[in-house]
Amino acid sequence: MIRAFLFSFLIFSAFSLLAQSKQANQIAPTYQPTLANLQARNQFQSNRFGLFVHWGVSSMLGAGEWVMQNRNIKVKDYVRLKETFYPSQFNAEEWVTAAKNAGMKYIVFITRHHDGFSNWDTKQSDWKITNTPYGKDVLKMLAEECKKQGLQLGLYYSTLDWFREDYPYSTGRTGQGTGRKTGGNYDAYLQFMKAQLTELLTNYGDIMSIWFDGHWDQTNPEGSTDRSSRINWKYEEIYSLIHRLQPQCLIGNNHHLDPLPGEDFQMFEKDLPGQNHTGLSFQKPSDQLPLETCETMNNSWGYNITDHAYKSTRQIIHYLVKAASLNTNLLLNVGPMPNGKIQPENIDTLKQVGAWMEKFGSTIRGTYGNILPAQEWGVITAKDNSHFVHILERHQKPFIFIPLSGKQLTKATLFSNGTPVKFKQVPEGVFLYLDGIVFDTIDTVVQLIWQ
């Protein structure tokens, strides 16, 4: 019933998408998503939990994926990494199994980050993984394994490039110290990107999404009054190409702006919708598109050998539950080591999150949120005729008041074992009485069943 409502809502809202965009001159204003695209949005919204993978030649330096920019490494020096990259222990089955066992439904893989290195056998550049001593197309292996295990695959693609001469770096915020001379040629660079995207959407099966990043390089910093782009990215060409090749493929762009026409989901970076702890998330959460937030397991996206600030299992589960309460997916990142293995600390945490998801996953996956703002004790998700009250913090009072009304509450139980929870329904809402409840160390879930 809820899925049918969400699907109908998506269909209704899709045809009024975002004509008010500040940069509508860059995007085809008449984008109308196909039925397959709307269905894909609905599925994406239900998935709730995915794995982000930041990995490539930058992993070899053990200092995160921005190492080329942060150290101003020249292209002529950075290119040498290609001669020694040999991820001999890469195993697509291990990656996909780790994600699946964690309760995730999709993987978003870095095909090309800002250093321009392509993690597939592209015909558009020699700066690619099949030109390393390793020589194998990891994307092909990952795509095949995702299909085998039933996970969807999304592809991260950087529109920013610190390596190529034709990227218009002279107007960009980054990449000024890598030794390039020509100043860029966006027409040539656009054709290069379109050729690469065609490969990705032609040779690797069904692709769930294209996850763009890098637009902000050509704008003033986040929070500025003027965030207009210094170049015309010609997204109308890029987006229409993607939707023509795979109409169901969802487009998202990490531009830190309100969604642009042609985009199918809205993303937030290290913030929940409505929050702005990072200084990146000034955009208003869309009420028309599916939402996703991405977060790291320590403080780094790519492999960082000195970053040991790992988030606890409890922190990650709380982030996941809070995201679901806001109708938002969590894309949780790992930065595998240069040998292709996911760090054991990450694997351990994913296993623990998976154990929780095995018991409680149905209280977030396929649910809907935005029922009640976050309370001091926790949040709420819902599905069909049930609400799931997630008590994330021990409550000092012997009761919780939930201002939900309009239906008759028939039962309240602990989701974990079915133990009845005392309640009192009044016209203004419901009192849940907590005396005698054995609280879970991570999330005490009370299921409310309505008539």
Side-chain angles (χ1 to χ4, degrees):
M1 176 180 174
I2 294 302
R3 286 195 176 191
F5 169 77
L6 287 173
F7 183 51
S8 298
F9 176 75
L10 285 169
I11 292 176
F12 172 79
S13 62
F15 298 103
S16 59
L17 285 175
L18 311 168
Q20 74 280 11
S21 168
K22 296 177 182 178
Q23 298 186 15
N25 63 309
Q26 292 191 8
I27 312 296
T30 56
Y31 169 59
Q32 295 185 351
T34 63
L35 179 59
N37 188 280
L38 293 171
Q39 291 172 332
R41 295 184 190 186
N42 196 41
Q43 179 61 56
F44 178 79
Q45 186 91 73
S46 297
N47 286 342
R48 280 291 177 255
F49 197 19
L51 183 70
F52 212 179
V53 182
H54 275 69
W55 184 72
V57 291
S58 62
S59 306
M60 296 178 65
L61 300 180
E65 76 294 345
W66 272 59
V67 62
M68 187 183 189
Q69 158 72 16
N70 292 343
R71 295 183 183 175
N72 283 321
I73 302 175
K74 302 294 186 287
V75 169
K76 65 182 179 62
D77 298 322
Y78 197 79
V79 73
R80 293 179 180 176
L81 294 176
K82 184 181 70 172
E83 305 305 321
T84 54
F85 189 43
Y86 193 81
S88 60
Q89 297 185 58
F90 169 78
N91 187 319
E93 182 180 5
E94 289 182 1
W95 284 16
V96 177
T97 298
K100 187 173 184 178
N101 288 347
M104 296 166 166
K105 291 296 184 181
Y106 63 99
I107 292 175
V108 176
F109 178 62
I110 302 294
T111 61
R112 194 177 77 104
H113 208 269
H114 310 325
D115 64 2
F117 184 77
S118 296
N119 276 320
W120 80 97
D121 188 24
T122 180
K123 301 299 186 292
Q124 311 310 316
S125 172
D126 293 333
W127 179 229
K128 59 181 179 178
I129 195 166
T130 48
N131 270 359
T132 68
Y134 183 66
K136 300 177 184 178
D137 188 335
V138 293
L139 179 58
K140 181 178 181 181
M141 292 184 278
L142 185 62
E144 291 174 350
E145 190 62 34
C146 282
K147 182 177 181 180
K148 179 180 178 181
Q149 295 202 38
L151 267 66
Q152 293 183 286
L153 178 63
L155 305 179
Y156 170 109
Y157 188 89
S158 175
T159 56
L160 159 64
D161 196 300
W162 298 325
F163 192 92
R164 290 180 63 89
E165 285 283 348
D166 53 1
Y167 175 76
Y169 63 89
S170 59
T171 54
R173 280 198 265 159
T174 63
Q176 302 298 322
T178 62
R180 293 173 289 182
K181 304 294 184 184
T182 63
N185 177 351
Y186 187 67
D187 286 341
Y189 186 69
L190 175 63
Q191 296 311 309
F192 162 76
M193 289 197 296
K194 288 167 67 176
Q196 283 209 317
L197 289 164
T198 298
E199 290 178 345
L200 293 172
L201 292 163
T202 303
N203 301 331
Y204 297 92
D206 290 340
I207 300 302
M208 179 193 74
S209 62
I210 298 293
W211 208 104
F212 285 117
D213 192 15
H215 174 101
W216 39 261
D217 185 58
Q218 297 290 338
T219 72
N220 291 327
E222 290 77 1
S224 301
T225 301
D226 181 8
R227 289 293 316 287
S228 59
S229 177
R230 288 183 283 273
I231 66 171
N232 183 348
W233 292 93
K234 299 185 179 178
Y235 286 136
E236 74 282 359
E237 295 184 30
I238 298 172
Y239 290 2
S240 62
L241 171 68
I242 293 168
H243 286 137
R244 177 173 58 79
L245 292 172
Q246 292 201 27
Q248 88 295 339
C249 183
L250 306 180
I251 295 174
N253 196 324
N254 191 36
H255 41 48
H256 307 145
L257 296 164
D258 292 342
L260 305 179
E263 295 169 5
D264 303 302
F265 68 99
Q266 183 184 22
M267 58 183 71
F268 295 81
E269 183 174 347
K270 295 178 74 66
D271 268 315
L272 291 172
Q275 297 179 348
N276 190 14
H277 301 307
T278 63
L280 300 175
S281 302
F282 293 88
Q283 65 270 40
K284 180 182 178 181
S286 173
D287 59 0
Q288 299 178 338
L289 301 179
L291 308 180
E292 179 187 72
T293 184
C294 55
E295 182 56 281
T296 54
M297 295 187 75
N298 48 11
N299 291 323
S300 305
W301 296 103
Y303 179 60
N304 189 331
I305 197 170
T306 60
D307 185 354
H308 304 294
Y310 300 109
K311 297 174 179 64
S312 68
T313 301
R314 186 175 191 271
Q315 286 176 302
I316 290 171
I317 291 173
H318 280 199
Y319 204 97
L320 174 61
V321 171
K322 290 176 181 178
S325 78
L326 295 170
N327 250 3
T328 302
N329 291 6
L330 173 59
L331 184 62
L332 183 64
N333 182 75
V334 295
M337 297 180 289
N339 63 2
K341 301 282 286 187
I342 298 175
Q343 294 181 71
E345 298 89 349
N346 294 169
I347 291 293
D348 289 345
T349 300
L350 290 175
K351 286 180 179 178
Q352 293 169 30
V353 172
W356 185 89
M357 285 290 290
E358 189 171 358
K359 293 174 62 177
F360 297 100
S362 61
T363 69
I364 61 165
R365 188 182 298 115
T367 64
Y368 63 97
N370 292 325
I371 298 154
L372 192 68
Q375 306 293 301
E376 61 179 8
W377 47 262
V379 297
I380 296 178
T381 58
K383 181 191 297 182
D384 299 329
N385 64 336
S386 291
H387 284 85
F388 303 103
V389 180
H390 296 265
I391 304 174
L392 304 176
E393 304 293 342
R394 289 294 295 269
H395 199 52
Q396 299 304 315
K397 297 179 181 179
F399 64 87
I400 288 175
F401 177 70
I402 302 173
L404 295 177
S405 58
K407 292 184 179 181
Q408 181 66 40
L409 182 62
T410 61
K411 186 186 296 186
T413 61
L414 286 179
F415 184 82
S416 59
N417 56 23
T419 299
V421 175
K422 298 176 184 177
F423 68 89
K424 178 182 178 181
Q425 186 170 15
V426 296
E428 297 78 15
V430 174
F431 289 92
L432 291 180
Y433 297 101
L434 307 178
D435 51 304
I437 287 181
V438 178
F439 284 85
D440 190 283
T441 56
I442 295 179
D443 179 8
T444 303
V445 183
V446 178
Q447 182 175 7
L448 308 181
I449 300 177
W450 305 85
Q451 191 172 43

